[in-house]
Amino acid sequence: MAKVIPIYKDKVKENFLNYRPISLLLPSVSKILEKIVHKRLIFFIEFHDLLYDNQFGFRCKHSTIDAVIKLITDTCKGLDENEETLAVYLDLSNAFDTIDHSILLKRLDFYGIRGQVLDWFSSYLYNRKEFVHCMGSNSHAETIKCSVSQGSVLGPLLFIVYTNDLPRYINLAKSILFADDATVYLSSKHLTYLYTTMTNELTKSNRLV
């Protein structure tokens, strides 16, 4: 059972879409368990080199600075070769709240998380409930049908596993990922090629879900 606190982000305060839902759901023992599972899972992922190299979010020794340097370096390389660079910046709205549990479990299975371990993650994701606490009042509790909870230990890692397949569907353009933000970019001397190819690449990326 999660207690959700809406945290104001920006713009109009009266619009509930401008609040970030933070889940307060983990007692101390559960946090310890999640940290153990997180440590084992990240070790497995890093040992088998499963994460996309240009995923810079929620990873040790990766930062926003590294992501920016990567983009600037590739853009400058294109300029040196008299090429233009077209970049599209993608920001997934309410990204953590739209994670489909069945798709996430298929991703984990694809990367080798199977058997009892996969069953554990299924148990972890399904049959959770939450209520919203706002201005001293509580809403009715509802079952969570999708999402990885913000404020949990495992949530960020499970999220980047969920989005890790994006570059597999983009063959001609390059991509840089940072949590729920992505940059897709392409360099060429021909603008028509840039526009056409980028449109096709973004269309293919819809296969992610």
Side-chain angles (χ1 to χ4, degrees):
M1 176 69 75
K3 177 181 179 181
V4 178
I5 306 294
I7 304 297
Y8 173 69
K9 294 187 295 184
D10 56 12
K11 300 180 181 179
V12 182
K13 286 189 175 182
E14 288 73 18
N15 187 341
F16 74 93
L17 296 176
N18 296 328
Y19 288 78
R20 184 186 305 278
I22 300 298
S23 298
L24 307 177
L25 74 166
L26 297 178
S28 298
V29 175
S30 296
K31 287 184 179 180
I32 294 172
L33 176 60
E34 279 205 41
K35 287 182 178 180
I36 293 172
V37 175
H38 183 281
K39 184 177 181 179
R40 296 292 299 272
L41 179 60
I42 194 64
F43 174 81
F44 178 86
I45 288 172
E46 296 289 352
F47 181 81
H48 293 285
D49 194 26
L50 298 177
L51 288 180
Y52 177 54
D53 288 340
N54 289 338
Q55 168 60 266
F56 295 95
F58 306 128
R59 298 179 68 187
C60 292
K61 300 180 181 180
H62 292 71
S63 69
T64 53
I65 295 175
D66 296 321
V68 171
I69 290 174
K70 171 64 176 174
L71 179 60
I72 292 176
T73 300
D74 287 349
T75 302
C76 290
K77 181 180 179 181
L79 291 173
D80 290 340
E81 298 175 359
N82 296 317
E83 293 181 334
E84 303 284 349
T85 297
L86 173 63
V88 177
Y89 302 94
L90 308 175
D91 183 7
L92 303 177
S93 298
N94 301 317
F96 276 63
D97 301 327
T98 57
I99 300 299
D100 186 296
H101 294 160
S102 63
I103 295 177
L104 175 56
L105 291 172
K106 289 178 182 177
R107 296 274 196 277
L108 291 170
D109 180 80
F110 175 78
Y111 290 122
I113 310 299
R114 304 186 180 110
Q116 289 184 339
V117 181
L118 187 64
D119 291 340
W120 186 92
F121 278 104
S122 178
S123 176
Y124 172 82
L125 292 169
Y126 283 105
N127 297 320
R128 288 181 175 271
K129 295 181 180 294
E130 66 180 8
F131 66 92
V132 178
H133 178 82
C134 183
M135 300 177 66
S137 298
N138 296 331
S139 71
H140 294 292
E142 296 288 347
T143 300
I144 302 173
K145 297 182 179 180
C146 60
S147 84
V148 288
S149 299
Q150 297 194 46
S152 65
V153 177
L154 280 170
L157 179 55
L158 292 177
F159 179 82
I160 63 174
V161 169
Y162 186 85
T163 58
N164 193 54
D165 282 356
L166 174 62
R168 294 177 56 225
Y169 297 101
I170 299 177
N171 306 115
L172 300 177
K174 297 179 180 179
S175 55
I176 295 174
L177 309 179
F178 192 93
D180 57 349
D181 295 314
T183 301
V184 181
Y185 61 102
L186 182 67
S187 297
S188 174
K189 296 179 181 179
H190 307 288
L191 292 179
T192 302
Y193 172 82
L194 286 178
Y195 298 143
T196 302
T197 303
M198 182 62 75
T199 299
N200 292 336
E201 293 292 87
L202 293 176
T203 300
K204 287 188 294 184
S205 71
N206 287 331
R207 299 176 188 172
L208 179 64
V209 293

